[in-house]
Amino acid sequence: MLTDPIFWLVAIPAVLITGVSKSGFAGGAGGLTVPLLALAISPAAAAAVMLPLLVYMDFLSVRSWWNKQSNHQLLILLPAAIIGIVVAYLLFDQLNEQYLRGILGVISLVFGVYGLTLGEWSQRKPSALVGRICGTLAGFTSFVAHAGGPPLNAYLIPLRLEKTQYLGTAVMFFAVVNAVKLIPYTMLGQINLNNLLISAMLAPIAWIGVKLGLRIQDKFNEKQFKQIILSLMIVVGLRLLWTALTPS
């Protein structure tokens, strides 16, 4: 990866988009990152490189959203998310690279379509049971592809929380989830010196993304930005599915 120009051409904008998302602006945009990186490197390597960066970006974001979260909703979501992480960890060794690309393709495609239509059919407030189901899915998809945003939003958005509380809850949720993921990623050998070196080289881009997202929150059309990202998720998802289904 260090000497592959294609990787860096993909990684820099992907990490920048994730940083913007981590600031609380266009929260689902970070789901694009691993599928996008998986076009250039293996899905497992993409997820491994991104996790330390996500933890770093969480650290930058948490300070801005501390004490603005709904602790009640976090108590519903986080235990379920940990179950999802454990399930993904137990299944991880059964998935080869082609399967992972296929899973990433499905996640990217389905969540892209879902995100573009979410506002049209999410009017009824969900129950705590729905929250636990969405939390489990968020934990699973976050482990596989750092793409827990759509399942989380499927629960949080219909609750119609005040914007600051919604963003604070999402930021705190992923701060905890990503910290927990460090344990199974290390156990699987995904966190190693080579991946950490690449993560460190991309850290300044992550910092710029977070700061940029905080700065443009009140100056940029968030809806249009999210529509662009979700449309890209659909395109990338189709490409990953094509790669997974086409014999090498």
Side-chain angles (χ1 to χ4, degrees), residues 98-141:
Q98 287 296 96
Y99 284 140
L100 282 173
R101 288 188 189 278
I103 290 172
L104 283 179
V106 171
I107 290 172
S108 187
L109 179 61
V110 171
F111 288 170
V113 173
Y114 178 71
L116 287 174
T117 61
L118 177 63
E120 298 178 8
W121 45 283
S122 62
Q123 300 305 311
R124 185 176 179 180
K125 288 188 177 183
S127 65
L129 176 60
V130 172
R132 293 184 180 97
I133 293 171
C134 289
T136 303
L137 289 173
F140 183 89
T141 56

Side-chain angles (χ1 to χ4, degrees), residues 25-105:
F25 179 80
L32 175 66
T33 308
V34 172
L36 193 58
L37 287 176
L39 297 175
I41 58 177
S42 76
V49 166
M50 280 305 302
L51 183 55
L53 288 169
L54 291 173
V55 172
Y56 170 61
M57 288 185 274
D58 288 331
F59 173 76
L60 295 176
S61 301
V62 160
R63 292 181 296 174
S64 299
W65 297 101
W66 187 256
N67 282 333
K68 297 175 183 176
Q69 72 276 10
S70 168
N71 291 323
H72 173 70
Q73 299 304 331
L74 288 177
L75 286 173
I76 292 172
L77 290 162
L78 284 173
I82 292 172
I83 292 172
I85 291 170
V86 171
V87 171
Y89 165 72
L90 294 174
L91 293 176
F92 190 81
D93 283 338
Q94 311 302 317
L95 304 174
N96 61 30
E97 186 170 320
Q98 287 296 96
Y99 284 140
L100 282 173
R101 288 188 189 278
I103 290 172
L104 283 179

Side-chain angles (χ1 to χ4, degrees), residues 7-8 11-12 15 49 53 197-207:
F7 167 74
W8 293 104
I12 290 173
V15 171
V49 166
L53 288 169
L197 175 61
I198 295 169
S199 298
M201 294 174 70
L202 288 166
I205 306 299
W207 182 86

Side-chain angles (χ1 to χ4, degrees), residues 123-207:
Q123 300 305 311
R124 185 176 179 180
K125 288 188 177 183
S127 65
L129 176 60
V130 172
R132 293 184 180 97
I133 293 171
C134 289
T136 303
L137 289 173
F140 183 89
T141 56
S142 182
F143 185 95
V144 174
H146 304 318
L152 179 68
N153 286 338
Y155 174 66
L156 287 184
I157 289 177
L159 290 176
R160 296 188 284 277
L161 301 174
E162 190 271 328
K163 181 179 179 181
T164 300
Q165 189 177 51
Y166 157 71
L167 291 173
T169 303
V171 168
M172 298 303 169
F173 174 83
F174 285 114
V176 175
V177 165
N178 288 327
V180 170
K181 287 187 316 194
L182 286 171
I183 300 170
Y185 268 57
T186 302
M187 294 170 64
L188 289 167
Q190 296 289 87
I191 305 296
N192 54 53
L193 288 177
N194 185 58
N195 289 338
L196 286 173
L197 175 61
I198 295 169
S199 298
M201 294 174 70
L202 288 166
I205 306 299
W207 182 86

